Structures are given as C-alpha cells and as structure tokens.
C-alpha cells in the first residue's frame, strides 16, 4: 500500500520532517511549516466570517479548523495524523475511523497524538517512527534532542531566586499550558505557577506562588495577533486571580512557534524561554514581545 500522509497537527508535520518522512506527506493543515512545498496540499483554513452552521462528524473531530473534505477525499490518504481529536470528540479510535469511512475515506488509518509531558512527546515520536519504519531515526533524533536541551539548559539557566512564571494559552477563559512547557520552564531556571494537571483556572483556585511573568499566546495566533489580544487583558482581574498586589509582566509569544513540540520545536522553545526569563533579546520582536509592565 502506498503511504500518503495528511497531517492536521503542526507539530506532527514538523516531526515528519525531522524523521525525513516529508516525502510521504500529501497534505497538511494551513498552520504547518511545510507550506512552501507546492506538492503538499493545504487541507484546512481558518473559519470564514459566519462560521459554517453545519459540519459533518468527520470535519468536527479532525481539526478545530475548517477542513476541505472534498480535497481530503481527492488526496486519498492512507493515514491522517490528528492532535487531541479523540479527546475533543469523545470518540474511540474505531468509531472515528468508521466516521472517516462513511465520509469517503475508506481504509484510512487515524493516528491521534495527545502528549502532555516531555516523556509523552518522545513516546509519540517513537510511535510515529515505529509506524512508518523509521525507528532508528526516531531514536537518534530523540537522543540528540535530549542532549541539546540539557546543553542549552546549562547555558541559559540563571539563578535569580524563585522566578515564578505562568503560561496562559487561552483567555478570557483562563487555560494554562500543558505540562511539557512547565518542564522546559524548570530547565530554564524558572518556577511554574502551578503543578496541577488540570490546566484551567477557576475563580476559587488558590495559588501559593505569585507570578512575576505571565507568558501569553494562543497556539493558533501569530505574535502580532497575540500582542493585540494580550493588550486587552484586564490587569486588575489578573491581580485578583493570582492574589498579587502588582500585576505580572506580560510577554506575548508567536503561537505556532511556541507550542511546536516536535524535537525542533522543543529546542526553539527552550531558547525562547531563556531569552524571556533571562533577558537575552536575540529573538525579541520575532517570536516574543513584552506587552505590559516589563521586568
């Protein structure tokens, strides 16, 4: 069977590139970094003004974006890689693949990735390598990534007391970032705002640690879009939520870059965190930017 992969996840797309599997990529989401290749079809787009009122079941679970199902059927993928699709939809894998079959994608295998920690990310990369026969490349890439992160952490980690940092990926409802970013933050020498598994903040939550920095960035938005959105944050509300007299410094990030958790993305993210936390301005204005109350 010919392998034809469509990936709905930017970090999965980058992982396929890292493992030299991009020659099998027939289509990808519009927020992936492979768009310069004219042979790769773009199968999603942001929802236009006046979002579609009727979505098929396949469209709803495949992506949070607007999926071109006609193009997807033309591509006839052997595999579709999604991120958090089963968790978002509440479907089991067999149910999801049956929906794909009814939607004209018979024989297509769904590969859903949903890692929350660094360990789980590396396990998912191993899973992709095993699925497509590149176990050795996956193992070598993971080994090199671990080594690179440790080396970078030694270089950028500066002891400045307990610098407490929160990473906010959704607002005005408050959702903190996944655990893997907390793990990178610790490598960079900071203290995560919370160790809780549940990333959502509720009105009655209590934080023992007071944040000095709040990194904000919707994973779907560019740096410019996140800066504009962050400027609308209510600082007095933040002070009430985190019970601190002085609002934290607000740093906006480029969403697709900052939340890329491929090996390439993890290395970039640790560098960005180091620059934000310890004043190394190499990519300031490119991947991150102070918004309010700078340190």
């Amino acid at each position: 069977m010919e392998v034809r992969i469509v990936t709905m996840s930017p970090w999965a797309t980058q992982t396929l590139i890292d493992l030299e599997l991009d020659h099998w990529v027939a289509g990808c989401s519009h927020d992936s970094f492979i768009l310069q290749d004219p042979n790769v079809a773009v199968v999603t787009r942001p929802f236009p003004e006046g979002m579609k009122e009727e979505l098929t079941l396949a469209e709803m679970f495949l992506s949070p974006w607007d999926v071109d199902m006609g193009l997807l059927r033309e591509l006839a993928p052997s595999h579709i890689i999604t991120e958090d699709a089963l968790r978002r939809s509440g479907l089991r894998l067999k149910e999801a693949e049956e929906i794909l079959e009814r939607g004209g994608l018979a024989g297509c295998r769904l590969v859903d990735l949903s890692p929350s920690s660094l360990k789980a990310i590396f396990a998912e990369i191993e899973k992709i390598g095993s699925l497509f026969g590149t176990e050795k490349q996956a193992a070598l890439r993971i080994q090199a990534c671990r080594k690179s992160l440790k080396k970078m952490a030694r270089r950028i980690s500066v002891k400045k007391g307990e610098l407490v940092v929160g990473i906010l990926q959704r607002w005005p409802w408050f959702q903190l970032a996944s655990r893997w970013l907390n793990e990178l933050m610790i490598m960079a020498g900071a203290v995560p705002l919370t160790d809780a598994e549940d990333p959502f903040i509720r009105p009655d939550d209590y934080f023992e640690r007071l944040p000095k920095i709040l990194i904000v960035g919707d994973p779907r938005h560019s740096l410019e879009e996140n800066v504009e959105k962050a400027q609308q944050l209510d600082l007095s509300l933040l002070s009430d939520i985190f019970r601190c007299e002085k609002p934290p410094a607000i740093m906006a990030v480029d969403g697709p870059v900052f939340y890329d958790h491929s090996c390439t993305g993890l290395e970039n993210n640790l560098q960005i965190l180091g620059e934000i936390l310890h004043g190394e301005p190499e990519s300031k204005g490119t991947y991150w930017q102070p918004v309010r109350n700078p340190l």
Side-chain angles (χ1 to χ4, degrees), residues 223-224 227 252 254 275 280-290:
L223 175 60
E224 293 76 18
V227 166
D254 183 299
E275 292 171 5
E280 297 179 15
E282 293 178 15
S283 66
K284 180 179 176 181
T286 302
Y287 298 135
W288 64 276
Q289 183 175 318

Side-chain angles (χ1 to χ4, degrees), residues 188-227:
V191 179
L193 177 62
T194 176
D195 299 322
E197 292 290 331
D198 185 353
F200 288 95
I201 298 173
R202 288 168 291 272
D204 58 347
D205 282 344
Y206 175 75
F207 294 92
E208 293 183 2
R209 306 161 183 165
L210 303 182
K212 187 74 177 292
I213 300 175
L214 194 62
I215 298 173
V216 298
D218 189 309
R220 300 166 299 177
H221 294 162
S222 67
L223 175 60
E224 293 76 18
E225 291 169 325
N226 278 326
V227 166

Side-chain angles (χ1 to χ4, degrees), residues 66-250:
D66 185 6
V67 180
D68 188 336
M69 290 300 295
L71 177 57
L72 202 54
R73 285 188 286 268
E74 287 179 20
L75 293 173
S78 60
H79 299 78
I80 296 179
I81 301 180
T82 56
E83 184 169 2
D84 286 338
L86 298 181
R87 182 184 60 81
R88 283 198 315 266
S89 65
L91 295 170
R92 295 191 296 271
L93 178 60
K94 183 178 179 181
E95 293 171 329
E97 290 182 336
E98 287 174 352
I99 290 171
L100 290 179
E101 185 171 357
R102 292 198 297 271
L105 295 164
C108 179
R109 182 172 177 182
L110 183 69
V111 182
D112 191 53
L113 310 174
S114 187
S116 61
S117 65
L118 288 178
K119 181 179 179 180
I121 289 171
F122 293 138
E124 297 282 42
I125 294 172
E126 289 176 342
K127 173 181 170 180
I128 293 174
S130 177
L131 181 61
F132 296 112
T134 55
E135 297 94 332
K136 183 176 180 180
Q137 292 96 316
L140 290 173
R141 187 65 184 95
I142 291 168
Q143 182 182 36
C145 183
R146 290 183 186 275
K147 184 176 180 180
S148 174
L149 293 177
K150 288 181 180 179
K151 182 178 179 180
M152 193 182 304
R154 286 195 296 269
R155 179 174 62 82
I156 69 174
S157 183
V158 179
K159 300 299 181 183
K160 290 187 177 180
E162 291 197 349
L163 184 62
V164 178
V165 180
I167 301 177
L168 192 62
Q169 70 174 21
R170 295 275 197 276
W171 67 97
W173 59 93
F174 291 105
Q175 180 185 1
L176 298 173
S178 297
R179 183 155 39 110
W180 62 270
L181 272 166
N182 278 357
E183 294 177 65
L184 289 184
M185 201 189 306
I186 292 169
M187 287 186 183
V191 179
L193 177 62
T194 176
D195 299 322
E197 292 290 331
D198 185 353
F200 288 95
I201 298 173
R202 288 168 291 272
D204 58 347
D205 282 344
Y206 175 75
F207 294 92
E208 293 183 2
R209 306 161 183 165
L210 303 182
K212 187 74 177 292
I213 300 175
L214 194 62
I215 298 173
V216 298
D218 189 309
R220 300 166 299 177
H221 294 162
S222 67
L223 175 60
E224 293 76 18
E225 291 169 325
N226 278 326
V227 166
E228 183 178 352
K229 191 175 178 185
Q231 288 171 341
Q232 301 170 16
L233 275 168
D234 186 333
L235 294 186
S236 61
L237 175 61
L238 290 179
S239 295
D240 289 343
I241 290 173
F242 300 123
R243 295 161 178 82
C244 50
E245 295 181 4
K246 181 181 178 182
I250 308 294

